[in-house]
């Protein structure tokens, strides 16, 4: 950071208002794709994934949403897109910095399924950071992605799941 304040070191350009709705739709679409792909996994892998995810689903909904929708995205965007991606970009081509930071983001998520979709999400968030020279668009997508993903996961593990399945909402 070379004696810079965190505010000056991080790319924090404002999000143009016209970009907010497309970013929200991007996050929602990514959740749908992720949930769809998860359903295609073999039973053994899906079972292990569900066991690993049970920790999040077992906490009260408000805590889960605060953790996954606010705390985690803010910290991860500061670290992976704000510090790692921008630092790597100074010493290598942007595409290489993007892929390396996305790979690091993925492996830091631990479980192989989490790692796979986190790496893909890392590429999308990195493209947003590089395109807009700001972590804020990615932060919005990341937060909405996590909130929607956590909420759908929570609903799948509650009594509401059978009602939602019958209505076609889950």
């Amino acid at each position: 950071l070379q004696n810079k304040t965190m505010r000056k070191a991080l790319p924090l350009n404002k999000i143009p208002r016209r970009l907010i709705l497309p970013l929200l739709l991007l996050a929602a679409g990514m959740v749908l794709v992720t949930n769809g792909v998860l359903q295609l996994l073999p039973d053994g892998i899906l079972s292990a994934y569900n066991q690993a995810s049970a920790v999040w689903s077992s906490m009260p909904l408000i805590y889960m949403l605060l953790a996954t929708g606010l705390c985690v995205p803010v910290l991860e965007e500061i670290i992976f897109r704000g510090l790692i991606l921008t630092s790597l970009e100074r010493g290598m081509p942007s595409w290489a910095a993007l892929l390396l930071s996305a790979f690091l983001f993925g492996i830091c998520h631990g479980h192989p399924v989490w790692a796979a979709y986190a790496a893909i999400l890392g590429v999308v968030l990195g493209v947003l950071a590089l395109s807009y020279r700001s972590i804020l668009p990615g932060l919005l997508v990341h937060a909405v992605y996590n909130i929607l993903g956590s909420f759908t996961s929570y609903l799948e593990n509650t009594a509401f799941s059978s009602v939602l399945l019958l209505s076609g909402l889950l």
Side-chain angles (χ1 to χ4, degrees):
L1 294 177
Q2 301 171 345
N3 298 328
K4 293 182 183 177
T5 65
M6 188 67 78
R7 174 85 169 106
K8 289 181 181 178
L10 292 175
L12 293 170
N13 296 324
K14 291 182 179 180
I15 303 172
R17 286 181 190 242
R18 62 177 166 57
L19 190 60
I20 292 175
L21 181 59
L23 291 173
L24 295 174
L25 294 173
L26 172 65
M30 291 176 62
V31 168
L32 290 174
V33 169
T34 301
N35 288 342
V37 170
L38 287 174
Q39 300 310 310
L40 301 175
L41 294 176
D43 288 339
I45 294 173
L46 188 58
S47 176
Y49 170 80
N50 288 334
Q51 280 182 325
S53 300
V55 172
W56 289 102
S57 303
S58 65
M59 67 174 63
L61 180 61
I62 189 68
Y63 296 146
M64 181 176 53
L65 294 177
L66 283 172
T68 63
L70 181 64
C71 300
V72 169
V74 168
L75 290 173
E76 289 181 344
E77 290 310 305
I78 288 171
I79 293 167
F80 288 97
R81 263 60 66 189
L83 299 175
I84 293 174
L85 177 59
T86 55
S87 295
L88 289 173
E89 192 185 22
R90 288 188 207 116
M92 62 180 64
S94 295
W95 65 267
L98 172 68
L99 294 178
L100 181 54
S101 67
F103 174 76
L104 292 171
F105 182 64
I107 62 171
C108 285
H109 281 77
H111 190 279
V113 175
W114 290 336
Y117 66 71
I120 294 167
L121 179 64
V123 169
V124 171
L125 299 173
V127 166
L128 290 171
L130 293 174
S131 297
Y132 294 98
R133 292 291 165 199
S134 176
I135 63 171
L136 296 179
L139 177 57
L140 177 62
V141 169
H142 195 160
V144 172
Y145 177 87
N146 281 8
I147 288 168
L148 292 176
S150 296
F151 191 66
T152 58
S153 176
Y154 178 82
L155 290 177
E156 288 172 356
N157 295 311
T158 65
F160 297 116
S161 63
S162 57
V163 172
L164 291 171
L165 282 171
L166 290 173
S167 68
L169 295 175
L170 188 61

